[in-house]
Amino acid sequence: MEHVPPPAEELARLDRELAELDARRAQLLTRRAWLLAALRPTVPTAAPGWNPSGWGAPPGAPAQPWGQVPKRPSAPRGAQNVLLTLGGLLLTVAAIAFTLVSWGSMGIGGRSAVLAAVTLGALAAPAVLLRRGLAATAEALAALALVLTLLDVYAVHAVAAPDTDGLGFTALASAVLAALWTAYGLALGKLRLPLPAAVVLAQWPLLFWAWAVGAPAPVVGWALLATAVLDGAIALWGKGAGVRVTACVGGAVMGFSALMVGLALSLTAPGPLGAVAPGVLLLTASAAAVAGAWRAPKGFARTGGAVAGLAAVAAVGGVPAAELPAGWRVLAYLLCGLALTAVVRSRLPGHAARGVLAASGAVVAGALVWALPPLAAVLLGPVTVLSDVWAGTPDGFRSALGSTLPWSELAAAPVVLALVAGLLGAAYRWWPSVVRLAAPLAGPTTADAGPAAPAAGAPGTDAPGAAGGAAPWPGWSGWSGWSGRPGAGAGGRGRPSAATLRGVVGAGAVALGWGALLLAGALLDVPHALALAGETALVGVLLTLAVRGGGAERGATAMPVTALVASVAGAVSAGLLSLASEGASYAVFGALAALFAGAALRAGAGVPRAVFAVAAVVWGTVITGLAGRSLGLAPHEAAPLMLLVPALTVLLGARLRRNPVALPVELTGVLGALVAVGLAVYDAPFLALVLALCGVLAAGTAVRPERRPVAGYLAAALFVLATWVRLAASEVSFPEAYTLPVTVPALLVGAARRRRDPEASSWTAYGPGLAATLLPSLAVAWTDPDWLRPLLLGTAALVITLLGARHRLQALLLLGGTVLALVGLHELAPYVVQVAGALPRWLPPALAGLLLLVVGATYEQRLRDARRLKDALGRMR
């Protein structure tokens, strides 16, 4: 009789055989690769009939371990370069040792003869080697010659001119060596090392000369700038990529150093006249950067334009800034940075002009970053009120913030924000004019935004085709302008569309204008009541912008999104600020709840409407908490009052039904209920009451079919938990007297339910009833030193487990089995502890390791057993 294995066993067998075949195939492929590598040096192609995957190696093939592929020998050119490099290094070490150690033991004639002979030989040898085609050897000797010339200079200074100034001698020597190596490199054009080395040496003459003569800082800056200009010229017209790259690196370092010197002198100037000299240095650097950007390639042109713009701002803005107070200097630089936007009408090449515009944006961004700390203090400062709620109305806005910022030095912060906001607002208002002005510098992104753009609804346009325009928040779809996919928006090629750019400009105007008004109130130190009224009114204005949106253009959602975020942040700040007094708290939070509720009613369907509704629920929850404090209630006594808003969210959810806003509102109500539970957790009777009320709310939610699967179980769990807490609070030692009268009718109702609907889950029918008695009894049994309760509970759990296994009821099997196991563990715990104390210390880890080895060795079988157990449980009702 043929044995047919079960499907799972047959599948495992097939998997093992396939794995063995894969391993065998990989082994054969590895052997084949080695054989091909062994044949390649001697046999151009395989002989006819020769099977390269055979077992035996061809005659003369090198011995090779099975499964390993020999590495190819290094290329002759690479080996030659390694040998030449090592030889050059050894000769260099020998020359240094000779100069430092053996120099003093020779006379002046011997020294001169040795140095001259070795240096001239090293310089002349590359020419001979190049004629014979030994370029690598020539490069190695040229490197040695460079080191020898440096050693010659050191030797001359140490013997012939020991009393000369080291910095001055170094400046002269580096200039002479740079000239000599430039001539040498030009003469032997095939050598790649001399010219880059000459560029490196050319970085030091002017700098060391300035240090040698003790020149002031401006002279050092000019020396650095002159060196950077020389590097720029070499980068533009130099010979070879190595020369240009070296010059670029040197020019960047020297130019940056010159700019830092000029900027430091400009910032520390005692007055406008003192800022003129560093300003001239910075302007010269700006002109040099522009000249380089005019002729440089694309990327370097943008970098040069950005450097030129920043240097010009530092030069021009530093003169008036030296006369202004410390808190207003940023305004001078900001105005100069904004003036750079005039480059759009200049004849500067496009990439260089874009770099200048980037510099303008960087200056504006820096000014805005400077204004962020006071704005953050205004928004986050009211958090300090939480430590002393309703302590009394403060004297002014600033005293309510609890901040120690030097407000007098930040007087220009609201002006900076208002100025940038005004310019962005003007650009948003007259966007077509901005597009026309920027058209020469813009790519396809803005060129599509002119009056000749395709009609609404046409392919490739951003405006919706429906008459009247779509809602500004259609499922948040406006963000598709930033998708970055090819052809997205009007700009194409992954660039943001003109409508998206306009929306971003409008969003910046909204955010900065709002921040400017908040900062102005703090700097003017307006009265507390006026500050509250102003912040609340700003929240209303922002909500209006968020509801109306930025127009019908698709991709113009940045402004309403910004208004939404700012409205929520402003509402939080105003609410915290109002906690200083009782009346102000009710007024502000009531107004916020009304504003956000109205916005939720006016907004279209989508994410914003849900945000407005959730915020309104949060403010309402805060009001109920304030009411509890006004009534003089303790936190646990105010907990039932906190459930008013969750009850309203349940009613609202029943009214909204499947509206997308219903779920966020109800979840916010759940959070309010969790807050109420947290307030009551320190008082057991009130906690039981709050849990029971939460169960009532969950049961009311479970009436709705779409919420029944979650809310029904939650209601049952809350009712059971409330019962347990109530029994624990009453110090009941026999909870069965209270739970059994609930369990028996619950089981009868469950049996009736199963009789009518045999497919009903056992958890729905019997789970709540069994849990109502088993779990409290288990909790008491674990603290009961007597034997009777664990015996009775274990017996009942055993009966329930057997009934669950007999009738294939999942709830009975799992609940009964879990309780039975925990009761058994409780009874065995003292003996386990006693045995563990008697065992050697090494035995438990050894047993644990042995168990892990056994489980690991039979892992597949254990996994199949677990799956079968899971399937068996899943088939139960």
Side-chain angles (χ1 to χ4, degrees), residues 767-783:
L770 291 175
T773 294
L774 289 178
L775 298 182
S777 298
L778 178 64
V780 177
W782 267 73
T783 59

Side-chain angles (χ1 to χ4, degrees), residues 626-646:
L626 296 176
R629 184 179 179 87
S630 296
L631 295 174
L633 302 176
H636 63 275
E637 295 173 339
L641 187 63
M642 296 286 291
L643 295 177
L644 288 176
V645 174

Side-chain angles (χ1 to χ4, degrees), residues 11 67 149 155 186 291 343 350 372 453 479 497 550 617 691 727 812 822 829 842:
L11 178 62
T149 55
L186 293 175
V343 74
L372 282 182
W479 287 108
S497 64
V617 173
L691 290 173
L727 294 177
L812 275 67
L822 291 176
W842 57 267

Side-chain angles (χ1 to χ4, degrees), residues 748-810:
L748 293 176
V749 172
R753 168 71 185 280
R754 289 273 298 173
R755 187 176 295 108
R756 289 195 308 269
D757 182 13
E759 297 298 324
S761 172
S762 60
W763 288 101
T764 304
Y766 305 119
L770 291 175
T773 294
L774 289 178
L775 298 182
S777 298
L778 178 64
V780 177
W782 267 73
T783 59
D784 190 355
D786 199 4
W787 60 272
L788 182 59
R789 184 188 300 277
L791 177 62
L792 295 176
L793 181 60
T795 303
L798 177 61
V799 172
I800 293 171
T801 304
L802 294 175
L803 288 174
R806 172 66 180 79
H807 297 286
R808 303 180 62 82
L809 298 176
Q810 191 181 96

Side-chain angles (χ1 to χ4, degrees), residues 429-841:
R429 173 64 180 81
W430 291 285
W431 184 252
S433 300
V434 174
V435 171
R436 285 194 298 271
L437 288 173
L441 298 180
T445 301
T446 56
D448 299 335
T461 61
D462 292 318
W473 303 86
W476 226 244
S477 62
W479 287 108
S480 62
W482 293 98
S483 61
R485 62 183 183 273
R493 292 188 294 178
R495 298 182 182 179
S497 64
T500 302
L501 292 176
R502 187 183 184 189
V504 172
V505 169
V510 170
L512 296 178
W514 169 63
L517 291 175
L518 291 180
L519 268 180
L523 287 166
L524 295 175
D525 200 16
V526 298
H528 184 258
L530 183 58
L532 285 177
E535 286 205 36
T536 307
L538 283 177
V539 171
V541 174
L542 292 171
L543 288 175
T544 302
L545 289 175
V547 170
R548 293 183 178 180
E553 304 97 340
R554 183 183 178 191
T557 56
M559 188 168 68
V561 168
T562 303
L564 172 62
V565 175
S567 64
V568 174
V572 172
S573 179
L576 292 175
L577 193 65
S578 69
L579 294 178
S581 63
E582 183 176 4
S585 300
Y586 284 108
V588 171
F589 279 105
L592 292 176
L595 287 173
F596 278 88
L601 293 176
R602 294 290 302 276
V607 175
R609 188 177 186 184
V611 173
F612 296 144
V614 166
V617 173
V618 171
W619 309 142
T621 305
V622 174
I623 292 174
T624 57
L626 296 176
R629 184 179 179 87
S630 296
L631 295 174
L633 302 176
H636 63 275
E637 295 173 339
L641 187 63
M642 296 286 291
L643 295 177
L644 288 176
V645 174
L648 292 177
T649 60
V650 171
L651 297 176
L652 186 59
R655 176 70 177 83
L656 295 174
R657 288 291 179 177
R658 297 185 181 276
N659 192 297
V661 180
L663 182 60
V665 168
E666 291 178 271
L667 291 178
T668 309
V670 171
L671 293 178
L674 290 177
V675 172
V677 172
L679 292 175
V681 74
Y682 296 105
D683 189 274
F686 271 92
L687 179 59
L689 174 61
V690 171
L691 290 173
L693 292 175
C694 291
V696 172
L697 296 178
T701 305
V703 174
R704 298 161 52 193
E706 67 273 11
R707 300 285 187 262
R708 187 171 300 158
V710 176
Y713 288 113
L714 181 61
L718 288 171
F719 283 133
V720 173
L721 187 58
T723 303
W724 299 344
V725 173
R726 180 68 261 182
L727 294 177
S730 302
E731 299 182 354
V732 174
S733 58
F734 294 97
E736 294 82 3
Y738 299 90
T739 59
L740 283 175
V742 177
T743 296
V744 173
L747 293 178
L748 293 176
V749 172
R753 168 71 185 280
R754 289 273 298 173
R755 187 176 295 108
R756 289 195 308 269
D757 182 13
E759 297 298 324
S761 172
S762 60
W763 288 101
T764 304
Y766 305 119
L770 291 175
T773 294
L774 289 178
L775 298 182
S777 298
L778 178 64
V780 177
W782 267 73
T783 59
D784 190 355
D786 199 4
W787 60 272
L788 182 59
R789 184 188 300 277
L791 177 62
L792 295 176
L793 181 60
T795 303
L798 177 61
V799 172
I800 293 171
T801 304
L802 294 175
L803 288 174
R806 172 66 180 79
H807 297 286
R808 303 180 62 82
L809 298 176
Q810 191 181 96
L812 275 67
L813 180 63
L814 292 182
L815 280 175
T818 303
V819 172
L820 180 61
L822 291 176
V823 170
L825 179 62
H826 172 263
E827 295 304 308
L828 292 176
Y831 303 102
V832 172
V833 172
Q834 183 178 359
V835 171
L839 291 176
R841 294 290 182 90

Side-chain angles (χ1 to χ4, degrees), residues 90-191:
L90 290 176
L91 289 176
T92 302
V93 171
I96 294 174
F98 169 77
T99 304
L100 297 178
V101 178
S102 302
W103 182 260
S105 62
M106 300 178 63
I108 186 64
R111 300 172 190 174
S112 303
V114 170
L115 279 175
V118 174
T119 303
L120 291 175
L123 290 173
V128 178
L129 293 172
L130 286 175
R131 284 197 297 270
R132 297 187 178 183
L134 301 176
T137 308
E139 290 285 355
L141 288 180
L144 175 63
L146 173 61
V147 177
L148 288 175
T149 55
L150 295 176
L151 294 176
D152 288 342
V153 170
Y154 165 76
V156 169
H157 180 264
V159 176
D163 297 331
T164 58
D165 180 54
L167 291 175
F169 185 85
T170 303
L172 178 62
S174 57
V176 172
L177 286 178
L180 291 176
W181 274 94
T182 300
Y184 186 75
L186 293 175
L188 301 178
K190 293 183 179 180
L191 292 179

Side-chain angles (χ1 to χ4, degrees), residues 181-294:
W181 274 94
T182 300
Y184 186 75
L186 293 175
L188 301 178
K190 293 183 179 180
L191 292 179
R192 292 176 292 180
L193 182 62
L195 290 179
V199 174
V200 174
L201 290 174
Q203 308 300 310
W204 310 113
L206 292 178
L207 181 60
F208 280 114
W209 168 80
W211 284 350
V213 299
V219 177
V220 175
W222 282 104
L224 292 170
L225 180 59
T227 306
V229 171
L230 175 63
D231 289 328
I234 296 174
L236 289 175
W237 296 294
K239 179 183 178 181
V243 174
R244 291 194 293 271
V245 170
T246 306
C248 285
V249 174
V253 174
M254 293 298 175
F256 178 78
S257 303
L259 290 175
M260 290 299 102
V261 171
L263 181 61
L265 293 174
S266 178
L267 293 176
T268 58
L273 293 178
V276 171
V280 173
L281 173 63
L282 292 171
L283 278 180
T284 306
S286 176
V290 169
W294 206 291

